[in-house]
Amino acid sequence: MSSPLTLVLTVVLVGYLAVATPLLGKHSYDRLARTRDQDPTAYRRMFTLWSAELWALAAVALLIVAVEPNLDAADIGLVLTEPLDETLGTIASVLVGAAVALLVLRWLAARSKPVPDQRSFNHLLPRTPVERWYAAGLSVTAGVTEEIIYRGLLIAIGTGALGLSKEVAACCALAVFVAGHLYQGRRGMLAVALVGFGLTWVYLRTGSLLMPILLHVLIDLRGLVFTPQPRREVVGHTG
């Protein structure tokens, strides 16, 4: 990093992602699990805070790119690697396919039994139409911001400032990404690692964040919005 400001911002951002994000995320999720049944606003409040945090972190990532002479948008994947007409065609195809897939998933979710053993994330699932909109908003937010931060910036920092190969930098970035999902427990983090590996592979193959962002949004929509809500146990009174 050639600029002291860039170095400071990078150290703060990476430190926050590696340490604060996992701990604060787990604390927030545990509090939601304790208070959701008593406080109808807890879910919406946490999702709003998580979305605001992600956009703030993405803003810092973009600020680092703006103030660092050795970084530009292309270095973090914010570039089109195909002609505009082909890119627009790809996006249109993905969106049409996604719309059909999501409608099918919603139909199946309405008729499916709840997925077993969802304890690692079941409090993230919406219970009301309003909460469903908050879940959709967070899905889009995470798809855009997390790709810019974890796939785009962190890999660029690893290869540029640290002199790592793209593969090693990508593995380090993936480890930080998985750590941010500490609240999901070991099984959830394993699933995040597999998804993150796939998104990283797509990014390294294409050199663009376009497809990883679209795929990330769709995966999160499937996981949050279109996953059947587990049945809540009802304790009956005997006597």
Side-chain angles (χ1 to χ4, degrees):
M1 296 292 177
S2 60
S3 164
L5 177 58
T6 306
L7 180 61
V8 170
L9 289 173
T10 301
V11 170
V12 170
L13 178 62
V14 174
Y16 187 91
L17 293 172
V19 179
T21 295
L23 297 179
L24 291 176
K26 188 174 188 309
H27 174 73
S28 298
Y29 182 81
D30 289 345
R31 184 171 60 181
L32 177 66
R34 292 193 306 269
T35 63
R36 188 176 184 186
D37 289 335
Q38 292 77 37
D39 182 1
T41 67
Y43 184 92
R44 287 172 283 165
R45 186 166 60 249
M46 191 187 82
F47 271 49
T48 299
L49 290 174
W50 278 10
S51 294
E53 178 190 37
L54 286 172
W55 284 114
L57 292 172
V60 174
L62 294 175
L63 178 60
I64 291 172
V65 176
V67 301
E68 173 53 43
N70 296 321
L71 280 178
D72 58 26
D75 291 324
I76 65 168
L78 295 179
V79 62
L80 299 179
T81 57
E82 299 177 346
L84 181 59
D85 56 342
E86 294 183 16
T87 299
L88 292 176
T90 300
I91 293 174
S93 299
V94 170
L95 291 179
V96 170
V100 174
L102 291 176
L103 288 173
V104 172
L105 289 172
R106 186 170 186 178
W107 180 80
L108 291 174
R111 290 159 175 77
S112 300
K113 294 181 180 179
V115 178
D117 196 20
Q118 290 178 324
R119 288 173 295 177
S120 62
F121 64 92
N122 60 10
H123 289 289
L124 295 183
L125 301 180
R127 297 175 182 172
T128 67
V130 172
E131 290 183 351
R132 193 176 297 275
W133 281 108
Y134 277 81
L138 183 61
S139 297
V140 175
T141 290
V144 174
T145 61
E146 289 184 350
E147 292 306 310
I148 291 174
I149 297 165
Y150 292 100
R151 237 71 63 191
L153 182 70
L154 291 191
I155 293 177
I157 289 173
T159 56
L162 303 180
L164 302 175
S165 68
K166 268 195 174 182
E167 292 75 16
V168 174
C171 288
C172 294
L174 179 58
V176 178
F177 176 68
V178 174
H181 296 77
L182 176 65
Y183 66 91
Q184 293 192 16
R186 286 179 293 180
R187 290 186 179 181
M189 292 173 73
L190 176 60
V192 169
L194 294 175
V195 170
F197 178 83
L199 294 172
T200 300
W201 182 84
V202 172
Y203 174 51
L204 294 180
R205 283 294 301 270
T206 64
S208 171
L209 285 178
L210 174 62
M211 289 308 298
I213 285 174
L214 289 175
L215 291 171
H216 196 149
V217 169
L218 295 176
I219 290 168
D220 282 2
L221 285 172
R222 170 64 182 94
L224 284 179
V225 181
F226 298 104
T227 295
Q229 172 69 41
R231 292 190 181 94
R232 299 165 62 187
E233 294 183 1
V234 177
V235 179
H237 294 279
T238 60

